């Protein structure tokens, strides 16, 4: 049953990712990006990586995708149905994508994977490490994000520098 769920989620994720690339409507592409992120979170769940699934769902699907949708809505054109013009580099991009996929397949097949059982790490263990061992970098990232948020508000409001 796990294998079936994994392949079904992988198919949904790939279909949504393909829709992101080929949809002409930018709003539809943004919403399909959210479906792609949720599909990846589901894949993490089937691989028993609950923490990664929660982070994927909350950060990417909940925050990044919504941010993209809001950005698209704020920069709307009159005709959103044709907001993504055809790309003239389709063949070149397709060949580059095939080359990258080929290199990735080669790397996966040639890597000696270690499958030994390690210690089980729970979400509580990760949280404890965040608040003890990694507290200074965690706080530095929080300050960086706060500065970015303040900068975004200033840019959005059209703040003028005082001289």
């Amino acid at each position: 049953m796990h294998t079936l769920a994994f392949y079904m989620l992988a198919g949904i994720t790939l279909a949504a990712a393909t829709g992101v690339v080929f949809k002409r409507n930018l709003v539809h592409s943004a919403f399909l990006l959210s479906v792609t992120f949720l599909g990846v979170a589901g894949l993490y769940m089937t691989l028993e990586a609950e923490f990664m699934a929660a982070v994927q769902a909350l950060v990417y699907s909940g925050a990044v995708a919504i941010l993209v949708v809001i950005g698209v809505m704020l920069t709307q054109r009159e005709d959103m149905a044709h907001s993504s013009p055809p790309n003239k580099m389709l063949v070149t991009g397709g060949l580059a994508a095939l080359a990258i996929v080929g290199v990735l397949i080669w790397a996966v097949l040639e890597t000696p994977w270690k499958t030994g059982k390690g210690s089980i790490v729970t979400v509580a263990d990760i949280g404890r490490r965040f608040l003890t061992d990694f507290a200074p970098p965690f706080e530095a990232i929080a300050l960086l994000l706060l500065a970015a948020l303040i900068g975004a508000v200033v840019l959005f409001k059209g703040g003028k520098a005082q001289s």
Side-chain angles (χ1 to χ4, degrees), residues 61-72:
S61 235
V64 173
I66 298 304
L67 184 66
V68 167
V69 169
I70 290 171
V72 166

Side-chain angles (χ1 to χ4, degrees), residues 48 50-52 119-129:
E48 297 177 3
E50 291 86 8
F51 179 74
M52 289 300 295
S119 62
I120 297 175
V121 178
T122 64
V123 176
D125 294 334
I126 295 171
R128 197 168 12 275
R129 296 279 312 266

Side-chain angles (χ1 to χ4, degrees), residues 19-39:
V20 169
V21 174
F22 290 111
K23 279 296 218 183
R24 291 273 182 241
N25 190 322
L26 201 54
V27 176
H28 293 169
S29 290
F31 282 123
L32 283 171
L33 182 65
S34 183
V35 172
T36 303
F37 289 151
L38 286 173

Side-chain angles (χ1 to χ4, degrees), residues 66-156:
I66 298 304
L67 184 66
V68 167
V69 169
I70 290 171
V72 166
M73 297 290 186
L74 287 175
T75 59
Q76 268 190 13
R77 296 181 182 178
E78 299 83 36
D79 184 20
M80 285 304 286
H82 297 92
S83 59
S84 183
N87 192 346
K88 301 197 182 343
M89 300 293 289
L90 185 64
V91 174
T92 306
L95 291 174
L98 284 175
I100 291 170
V101 167
V103 168
L104 287 173
I105 290 172
W106 171 81
V108 166
L109 294 176
E110 293 298 317
T111 301
W113 299 100
K114 297 178 183 168
T115 57
K117 290 287 183 182
S119 62
I120 297 175
V121 178
T122 64
V123 176
D125 294 334
I126 295 171
R128 197 168 12 275
R129 296 279 312 266
F130 265 145
L131 297 175
T132 56
D133 301 339
F134 296 107
F138 196 65
E139 290 171 1
I141 290 172
L143 288 175
L144 179 69
L145 290 172
L146 177 64
L149 180 64
I150 291 171
V153 169
V154 168
L155 287 174
F156 182 72

